[in-house]
Amino acid sequence: MTRIDDVARLAGVSTATVSRALRGLPTVSQTTRERVLEAAAQLGYIASPSASRLAGGKTRAVAVVVPRITPWFFSTVVEAAEERLHRAGYDLLLFNLGGSEHARQRLLYTSTLHKRVDALMLVATPLAGRDFAAVAGLALPGVTVSAGTAVPGWPSVRIDDVETACLATDHLLALGHRRIAHISGDPTDELAISTHLDRRLGYQRRLRAHGVEPDPALDVEATFTIAGGSKATAELLGRGDPPTAIFAASDEMAMGAIATLRSAGLRVPDDVSVIGVDDHDVSGVVGLTTIAQPAADQGRIAAETLLGPLRGDVSGYGDRSVVLPTRLVVRDSTAAPRAH
């Protein structure tokens, strides 16, 4: 069986250089990398990831945990994090909890992560009670992304969800809307985090600042999906006296709201204005006004934050908290109410 020593001997480099070249690390010149790849191909050498990891005491893998993989925000964060980690020579192991609290507990309280990864990234994954002890017991560097729960000693990357909701509500108020509905997150979701609570808080805060008392009849809870937004809007319309504007806690919810409004014979924005949060890839196509959040930047920054301790640099690691700005993007789904 061909060994890494044979490849090193033929390429005229050290075994460490062969290892770095085959992992695609940037510390190897292109000329050397090509020589190593040619030698490996000539000898039929296939690197054993498990053997090289065990020899170095590192897995060169990072676990990324998401409540669900299908929503746009999660997939965008994961893709950006993976791209950055891959460039640094790390693999990304994705753990999709499928919205199940049981899956989260199984992940934290079994040996699933033990000796399989070098670091952990929790994306919008809530922790409670003894979960913190379980995470601490892993003895891994970690980072949270868009999580409502801070992990002691871990940095975080997020947006200000209260301010984000304030921006959305202020836009509708500035257009003259006062009867503004809000579609917020579902509190019965097993993996619900504080995002929907913070966005509701910002919505209510701005209404009150303009002398408008929030109406419970205009606040509907739903899942962060197109189907959730559609169902919530149908419920709003079924209560009579529809709002002149809807602030949905996500773009996917907002898209569902628009579909239901149009099915009911209402025009957007002539009869009802709609605004969301995210700046989903499809938002521009459907003309949705939204509060854009830098989802990809959150993934990249979180990955970069982990690379420090993974390389042995822990200076300022635990104290780092990044809050990224959001911005209003006005498109065709919002306008002044007809009576204004």
Side-chain angles (χ1 to χ4, degrees):
M1 179 180 292
T2 304
R3 300 184 306 173
I4 192 171
D5 308 54
D6 302 320
V7 178
R9 191 177 305 109
L10 181 59
V13 297
S14 67
T15 55
T17 298
V18 172
S19 177
R20 289 195 297 271
L22 294 179
R23 295 205 310 268
L25 298 184
T27 52
V28 180
S29 70
Q30 185 60 31
T31 302
T32 301
R33 191 187 317 280
E34 290 175 358
R35 193 162 73 247
V36 169
L37 291 173
E38 184 179 345
Q42 183 177 333
L43 295 173
Y45 175 75
I46 299 176
S48 168
S50 58
S52 61
R53 288 166 180 169
L54 287 172
K58 298 291 183 181
T59 67
R60 300 204 67 82
V62 173
V64 176
V65 183
V66 295
R68 298 174 179 82
I69 193 56
T70 49
W72 171 86
F73 175 77
F74 298 135
S75 60
T76 302
V77 168
V78 169
E79 184 177 12
E82 182 174 33
E83 188 275 335
R84 181 65 190 92
L85 291 169
H86 180 72
R87 283 197 289 115
Y90 286 85
D91 295 327
L92 183 150
L93 295 185
L94 179 63
F95 293 88
N96 176 18
L97 302 181
S100 167
E101 182 179 0
H102 175 68
R104 175 179 60 82
Q105 292 177 340
R106 186 174 66 248
L107 178 68
L108 295 179
Y109 296 105
T110 64
S111 58
T112 304
L113 296 174
H114 185 59
K115 292 186 178 180
R116 291 185 63 187
V117 296
D118 296 334
L120 179 61
M121 181 187 301
L122 298 179
V123 183
T125 302
L127 300 179
R130 63 193 184 105
D131 295 344
F132 294 101
V135 168
L138 294 172
L140 296 172
V143 63
T144 61
V145 180
S146 187
T149 306
V151 177
W154 281 19
S156 64
V157 182
R158 62 184 180 86
I159 63 171
D160 185 331
D161 286 298
V162 175
E163 178 58 26
T164 294
C166 287
L167 285 174
T169 310
D170 278 343
H171 171 66
L172 297 175
L173 289 166
L175 289 172
H177 294 279
R178 291 299 180 269
R179 188 167 174 76
I180 301 172
H182 178 50
I183 302 177
S184 62
D186 182 3
T188 64
D189 186 341
E190 288 186 338
L191 296 180
I193 58 173
S194 67
T195 296
H196 71 284
L197 298 177
D198 288 341
R199 292 180 185 175
R200 175 186 282 147
L201 175 62
Y203 154 77
Q204 294 177 342
R205 180 178 295 175
R206 297 314 296 159
L207 287 181
R208 291 192 174 103
H210 285 76
V212 180
E213 185 60 27
D215 184 351
L218 295 179
D219 193 334
V220 185
E221 295 164 342
T223 57
F224 275 69
T225 62
I226 292 176
S230 178
K231 181 179 178 181
T233 304
E235 185 176 339
L236 276 171
L237 297 179
R239 294 176 180 179
D241 193 11
T244 64
I246 296 175
F247 162 41
S250 78
D251 280 0
E252 291 176 68
M253 285 174 156
M255 292 175 197
I258 290 174
T260 296
L261 289 169
R262 288 174 175 166
S263 295
L266 295 171
R267 295 168 297 171
V268 177
D270 297 346
D271 297 315
V272 183
S273 287
V274 179
I275 187 171
V277 175
D278 279 335
D279 201 20
H280 188 290
D281 291 342
V282 182
S283 296
V285 178
V286 300
L288 176 64
T289 296
T290 186
I291 305 299
Q293 68 161 319
D297 286 346
Q298 291 179 66
R300 280 191 290 269
I301 292 171
E304 187 67 45
T305 300
L306 287 178
L307 290 176
L310 287 173
R311 292 165 175 161
D313 179 12
V314 295
S315 57
Y317 156 74
D319 300 325
R320 186 178 185 188
S321 179
V322 178
V323 181
L324 297 175
T326 55
R327 59 187 176 87
L328 171 66
V329 179
V330 180
R331 296 192 178 104
D332 300 331
S333 66
T334 53
R338 285 182 298 173
H340 185 63

